[in-house]
Amino acid sequence: MSKPVIATTSLAGCFGCHMSILDIDERILQLFDLVEFNKSPIDDIKKFTKPVDIGIIEGGCCNSENVEVLKDFRKNCKILISLGECAIMGGLPALRNGIPVEECLHEAYIGGPTVQLNTKHILPNDDELPMLLDKVYPCHEIVKIDYYLPGCPPRADLIWDALVALITGDPLKLPYELIKFD
Amino acid sequence: MKDTVKQILKQYGSDRNRLMDILIDIQEQLGYIPKDAIDLLAANLGMSQVDVEQTISFYHFFSTKPRGKYAIYLNDSAVARMFGYDSVKRTFESEAGIKFGQVSDDGLIGLFNTACMGMSDQEPAAIINNKVFTRLTPYRVREIVKHMREGKAVEELMNESYGDGKNQLPSLRSIVSSNVRRKGMILGDDYEMGTVTKTRLTKMSPEAVIAEMKHSHIRGRGGAGFPTGLKWEFCRRSKGDKRYVICNADEGEPGTFKDRVILTEKPELVFEGMAVAGYAIGSDEGILYLRYEYRYMKDYLNEVLENMRKQNLLGKEIAGIEGFDFDIRIQYGAGAYVCGEESALLESLEGKRGEPRDKPPFPVEKGYLGMPTIVNNVETFGTAVKIVLNGGEWFTQFGTEDSTGTKILSISGDCMFPGVYEVDWGFNVEDMLDMVGAWEVQAVQVGGPSGTLIGSKEFHRTLGYSDLSTGGSMIIFGPQRNLLKDVVLNFMHFFIEESCGSCSTCRNMTQVMTNKLTKILNGKGVKSDLDDLQSWAKTLQASRCGLGQTAANPIVSSLKNFRHLYEALLQKDKDFDQGFDMEASVQASCNYVGRVPNFNHH
Ligand SMILES: Cc1cc2nc3c(=O)[nH]c(=O)nc-3n(C[C@H](O)[C@H](O)[C@H](O)COP(=O)(O)O)c2cc1C
Ligand code: SF4
């Protein structure tokens, strides 16, 4: 049997969840024995080159590009996992959700106390740029998500155990310490 | 302003436990509770301003801004909407020239919505400055607003005829109708006030009273159905310097109005029942906690109490029984359904936000002001009189084995004869529908929003604690009603509005589930949404009080009994759709930065 294929991406996240993947330390070697990586910042493959078994998503969706990438993942992956608070609930970026997007843009580019260099009040409106969504959406509000791994970031052990369980088909052990966050 | 507040403070002895009474009086006399008044209250009651403010902000009828010389609260319950809420609302808005939630510029009229106000058999109804107006029509609304502009007093606006029964008494003079359609041991006319006190209590020990109550197997009529005799016994045995008897007349469950009718037609029976309870548990103080919506009964009920005092049925050494002192005062809520939950009620009685307490300890151990307290429903107290009069054994011949006695039902909705019916427990739904003249019935909501919605397949079921348990609310829906949109969704909004917010389950899941229901109603639902609703409902069980624990019932019971209505709305060709709309969601930001949305080239 060929090795399961994995893809990962970071949407509106801080890459902390990816750091946590790397935090499995030397087990990363074991991981590479177990699986093959496709599109992912870990191996820097930019486009899907083959069907993928497990897609891991960090971050929610704050702009149109996030949505497209997420939909692309759904199309190419058999199983999608929301990894971490931002993918599951929107996380810190979603703090803007109670505020109209116009006010956010105004604060960031025109009125905010740290806006000094932008004397001409230029707003990012180039056609090449992703378009900002009205609020930050958790991934499951856009595509179907199969599994959720909570944490900010999820601990390396949780990621490791979950991946191993998925790949081997063994039941996942979830000791209390692994999913308790306060 | 200062003098008014000082006067009110004086009246209540600057007692912080009476903050609710104080705030209600200020709200009524000034039309709102100004900032200066809050400062004055804080200083005089030895509380922080925030403590005063958090009580104010909890209750629907308190406001820190003027609510208008005439503050109009129109009921927006499911039943009100069935009988013309929309046109009445529109007429109020066009006549007053403002929208709901606003006060007119001249400060004359304020328009507000309010939850079910216990008038389901005579909707649409509104409260205007503490007087109730029922059976409103656009014509009536135009007339009322015209009279307001002419500066007439609220009493003068009630120029139509008064309601039936005791609503016509000079001390009550209300438009409300009692609509008593079937009498039994409580609503019957064969009882003379004071008989039990004078002929039974004089011969019985408190323990003997409790023994009769236990023997009768009566269970509480407020919904939860706890055995009343046992509750009284627990309270009597609890240690405390003082004990309290509280009558729960919060009656907030939409569709219920029988306590209003009992208190209108048989208040003496309820008060005497409270005195009987006082005798049994060894208490000398009773409080009737009356929802603010029934404030129009204030003078009338006080007159009844005064009359009972004159006859020595309340006061000192009642009926000459040595050591039997008992008196009753009335305290009001201010618009909060959760205050019907007994521990929230106690918090409210103590002048605080009506947030339920953790249990144990139960009120029988630590209740009002930390003292042993019984809280019982209006109907329970009324029934107690009949039990002590005729004996527990006599009582068990009515009803069924596990549900003894009679039950007073509040029946409303699509039927010929809405009103109050006293029936023996064990009555089945089919007979009930015949009795009230409901021949074409799609569904019946038994026990209000926190109860169950049943369809014709279950009309053979009987009313009782072991089958269809109910605090008395029965709402009938004809075939023309859209059950999911007009009933289930309305009930969910009710729970969202009335959750006290303490538990994250109750605060959030009601909203989350309602979002999902709305999505299904908008034609965006898929099958997994139904599974989600079903499994998410379970998390609400973890809530602290009955409100949260039953808040998913409208969805759960309609999913069970009317699943086809949901299924008809689902998208057949999709198994995933969260209703995300990319074009709509980038619109605002693109507009703001000045670019045309482009979905093609990324
Ligand atoms: C949200 C909520 C609202 C309630 N409202 C009322 C009410 O309006 N009247 C009432 O008698 N009981 C109400 N109850 C039940 C009371 O908590 C309590 O069980 C009852 O007053 C006890 O009296 P009983 O044993 O005579 O029924 C409510 C309970 C909950 C959870
Ligand atoms: S269940 Fe709801 S109403 Fe009851 S205490 Fe919790 S938040 Fe308040």
Side-chain angles (χ1 to χ4, degrees), chain B residues 162-454:
Chain B
Y162 297 117
D164 60 7
K166 296 200 174 159
N167 288 295
Q168 305 191 347
L169 292 179
S171 55
L172 192 49
R173 282 191 202 277
S174 111
I175 303 174
V176 179
S177 292
S178 289
N179 289 333
V180 177
R181 308 232 185 227
R182 189 184 151 99
K183 297 180 177 182
M185 67 170 83
I186 318 287
L187 292 171
D189 298 316
D190 57 348
Y191 182 72
E192 195 181 328
M193 173 171 87
T195 310
V196 159
T197 309
K198 286 185 275 194
T199 67
R200 297 295 186 273
L201 296 191
T202 45
K203 301 197 188 85
M204 290 168 84
S205 69
E207 288 81 3
V209 171
I210 291 177
E212 288 302 329
M213 290 296 289
K214 283 172 74 175
H215 189 73
S216 75
H217 292 297
I218 180 181
R219 296 168 61 168
R221 299 319 197 209
F226 191 82
T228 308
L230 216 52
K231 185 184 278 187
W232 293 12
E233 187 172 63
F234 286 152
C235 186
R236 182 171 180 83
R237 286 188 186 158
S238 293
K239 284 198 182 57
D241 300 336
K242 198 170 155 68
R243 292 182 168 70
Y244 291 95
V245 174
I246 313 286
C247 178
N248 185 345
D250 195 55
E251 191 156 67
E253 187 77 39
T256 319
F257 46 87
K258 49 108 189 162
D259 291 342
R260 163 187 40 94
V261 175
I262 300 171
L263 283 170
T264 304
E265 301 299 329
K266 303 284 164 199
E268 321 81 21
L269 201 66
V270 178
F271 292 144
E272 197 174 346
M274 290 173 72
V276 168
Y279 181 73
I281 67 166
S283 155
D284 64 355
E285 191 173 342
I287 306 173
L288 173 71
Y289 183 87
L290 191 59
R291 67 187 309 210
Y292 186 80
E293 289 82 344
Y294 298 165
R295 180 122 165 136
Y296 70 95
M297 292 191 207
K298 182 175 167 223
D299 293 344
Y300 166 63
L301 292 176
N302 279 326
E303 189 181 84
V304 172
L305 287 174
E306 200 47 52
N307 188 20
M308 290 178 74
R309 284 182 199 113
K310 277 194 198 124
Q311 299 192 32
N312 190 224
L313 295 171
L314 291 175
K316 300 249 176 258
E317 303 238 323
I318 293 171
I321 302 169
E322 207 188 317
F324 180 24
D325 301 343
F326 190 78
D327 211 330
I328 297 173
R329 67 177 171 85
I330 305 176
Q331 197 172 315
Y332 294 84
Y337 164 61
V338 71
C339 287
E341 196 281 335
E342 54 186 8
S343 65
L345 184 151
L346 296 171
E347 290 287 295
S348 180
L349 273 181
E350 293 175 5
K352 296 182 244 168
R353 294 165 67 83
E355 287 179 9
R357 296 174 178 172
D358 269 331
K359 289 176 238 175
F362 290 94
V364 287
E365 301 158 73
K366 267 185 188 305
Y368 182 56
L369 303 177
M371 295 298 152
T373 301
I374 55 164
V375 181
N376 278 119
N377 177 256
V378 172
E379 188 181 347
T380 312
F381 284 118
T383 313
V385 174
K386 290 300 173 105
I387 293 171
V388 178
L389 179 71
N390 299 310
E393 181 63 30
W394 165 84
F395 189 76
T396 56
Q397 65 179 300
F398 302 96
T400 66
E401 201 168 328
D402 80 327
S403 311
T404 51
T406 62
K407 178 77 193 106
I408 303 182
L409 304 176
S410 318
I411 305 183
S412 65
D414 294 313
C415 61
M416 290 287 282
F417 312 109
V420 156
Y421 294 76
E422 184 172 355
V423 300
D424 287 4
W425 281 112
F427 216 72
N428 77 35
V429 178
E430 209 123 53
D431 290 339
M432 179 200 86
L433 294 173
D434 283 342
M435 177 174 74
V436 303
W439 295 289
E440 274 194 275
V441 180
Q442 181 184 187
V444 180
Q445 183 76 33
V446 181
S450 66
T452 34
L453 183 70
I454 59 170

Side-chain angles (χ1 to χ4, degrees), chain B residues 338 356 498-503 506-507 543-549:
Chain B
V338 71
E498 298 298 332
S499 164
C500 84
S502 289
C503 317
C506 173
R507 185 178 65 238
S543 309
R544 189 192 300 163
C545 88
L547 192 153
Q549 286 156 10

